[in-house]
Amino acid sequence: MNPTPRATPSSTLPAALPATLHAARLGLARGWIEFKQSLTNPQEIGFTLVTSVSIVVVLYFQRDATLPGTDMPLAAASLPSILGLIVAFNGLVGAVGALAVEREDGTLLRAKALPQGMVGYLVGRVVSLSLGAVISLLIVLVAGLFMVPQVSGAGLGGWLTVAWVTALGLVATLPLGAVIGSLARSPQGAAGLSMLTVGALTAVSGIFYPISALAGWLQGIAHVFPLYWLGLGMRSALLPDAAAAVEIGGSWRPVETVVVLVAWAVAGLLLAPPILRRMARRESGSAVQARRDRALQRIG
Amino acid sequence: MSAMSELDGRVHPLDTATAIEVDDLRMSYGQAQVLRGVGFTVAPGEVVALLGPNGAGKSTTIEILEGFRIPSAGRVRVMGEEPAAAGERWRARIGVVLQSWRDHGRWRVRRLLEHLGAYYAPYSTPGRRRPFDADELIDAVGLTGHGGQRVNRLSGGQRRRLDVAIGIVGRPEVLFLDEPTAGFDPQARRDFHDLVHRLSDLDDTTILLTTHDLDEAEKLADRILILSGGRIVADGSPDRLSREFSRDAQVRWSRDGEHFVHATEDATGFVRGLFAQYGDGIGDLEVRRATLEDTYMAIVKKEEG
């Protein structure tokens, strides 16, 4: 694939090609370019490596513990749950960070100054963040296969489930992250708030230990948000059916998983365009300048 | 060979009589009124400089014209359309260079220009091919040899040149420049002036720019608007403004080792008299009309005082 379409003179473009599709195609190229850039960025590489290594360390210390009431290693349950967490983290925190930073540095305003530029920008962001999420998943998955060989027993159906849970999880979290990022006053605030939210949800969503061990009202909270369902979906994909016994209701509850994730996706997709448009409409050179001045004050 | 070889055939794409039309434009933020009835027009192909003290509303005016801000009241038309409501086809005919950009730091110069330029391709017409070729543009703004460089490794002045290149990559019919030469060294400034002349002469681009450099305004602009206290307080060619606000010229000369200064409305007549009286005794003759800077200071002081 050639990610940078050379500027084509219009005579070679079909007259009927809608400009929006053209911009969406540019967005795909843009996402690919920015994804490759993130691969050579020491900061982002470092972040991915540190989180991946710490996850592997957690799995290593869990190797002798078993899931309560079964002879299944606790790590075998943690790995899929962590995959769910990675999807939610990349979708939500990634989108929040990107929107908040790119609003401040003028990237959004640049997109606004181009014909159909917002279409290209948003498609590009979805592509680059999704590719980033998939890479993080793969790193942890490959490391996990060595430490938790049970997982490699998942059949084709299991891996397909991983794929759709990932896709649905990204659609459920990316628009939500974009909304939060566009409402935040500063990138630092946005990053802090979203990390705190994901952290708190991780604690109650049965990622590192079974949710059934928690108080009922905490379970209730976890059920509202996508994270618990992402973990559950991943466990249903990679663990033997017998492991469902420790889940709430003794079932993987695939229907409920789809319903909750789709509900978040629909809510996000309905909310995001008007809120993004509203934010984009308020963007102007002097607004960017004012935020830049505030940022400098924070440093100084 | 010209870096802008695309710019050969003269084109007259504007069907409207005026490129920019502003009438009784008002803008307030809460209680503060920034613009209190701004009005002016810009003809197609004209280069107009918008001057004024800090906080006079220059950026606000330009942002309204770019469609990035919705005015409180008044009528604004850019190429016949209301900027805040105009669609993507209109957007493709507009070029924007804002005061500060820090975006796309990880991109490489040529790739970024190619990518951003590609958005304009569907809006290309036989009379006006869009976008400009990235390499020609890189040469035109004086970034030759930096095409492969990462944007965040450019110096401040180089970054600004790139901003200008991005602003014109879609070959705009109307170009807005907000303090385009801030941070330019003298060579970069001269390159930029050449570029503006080429865009305006060869491509009939209508240009509205703000600047604090009065010398630059005088060199570039066909017409100067001075914005002060939320209103246009002067509108005319640099020459006309100077004559209107200050007729006096200063005449300096020396005679027998002594230096003299005299202010007069009729410098030519005065000098003729000097020579008639002293002939070869006159040396170091210098006649200085009021500069645009003198005029500007006089106008702004009068408005503020």
Side-chain angles (χ1 to χ4, degrees), chain A residues 2-11 13 17 19-20 22-23 26-27 29-30 33-34 36-38 40-41 44 104-107 109-110 112-121 280-289 292, chain B residues 29 59-60 63 66-70 88-89 91-92 94 96 98-104 106-108 110-112 114-126 129-135 150 159 162-163 166-167 169:
Chain A
N2 175 12
T4 28
R6 290 244 347 148
T8 347
S10 74
S11 48
L13 281 172
L17 179 71
T20 312
H22 175 76
L26 288 173
R30 180 184 177 80
I33 292 171
E34 297 210 311
K36 283 194 300 183
Q37 286 167 353
S38 71
T40 55
N41 181 268
E44 285 187 34
E104 188 167 274
D105 74 10
T107 307
L109 192 52
R110 181 83 79 195
K112 229 178 114 181
L114 295 169
Q116 303 285 0
M118 283 305 274
V119 174
Y121 171 79
R281 210 179 302 130
R282 289 172 153 205
E283 271 324 289
S284 65
S286 32
V288 170
Q289 184 77 41
R292 182 191 188 176
Chain B
Y29 302 104
S59 289
T60 302
E63 283 176 2
E66 289 162 348
F68 291 166
R69 256 175 210 284
I70 298 167
E88 304 295 330
R89 192 164 289 281
R91 176 61 65 198
I94 304 291
V96 169
L98 294 180
Q99 268 185 36
S100 81
W101 294 106
R102 290 178 299 148
D103 59 308
H104 292 93
R106 289 188 204 164
W107 287 63
R108 297 190 187 272
R110 182 180 299 104
R111 175 162 274 192
L112 180 60
E114 283 169 354
H115 174 73
L116 297 179
Y119 285 86
Y120 294 90
Y123 304 96
S124 183
T125 60
R129 312 274 274 177
R130 294 184 164 103
F132 276 125
D133 178 78
D135 281 314
R150 272 174 56 167
R159 164 90 230 202
L162 175 62
D163 289 337
I166 294 172
V169 70

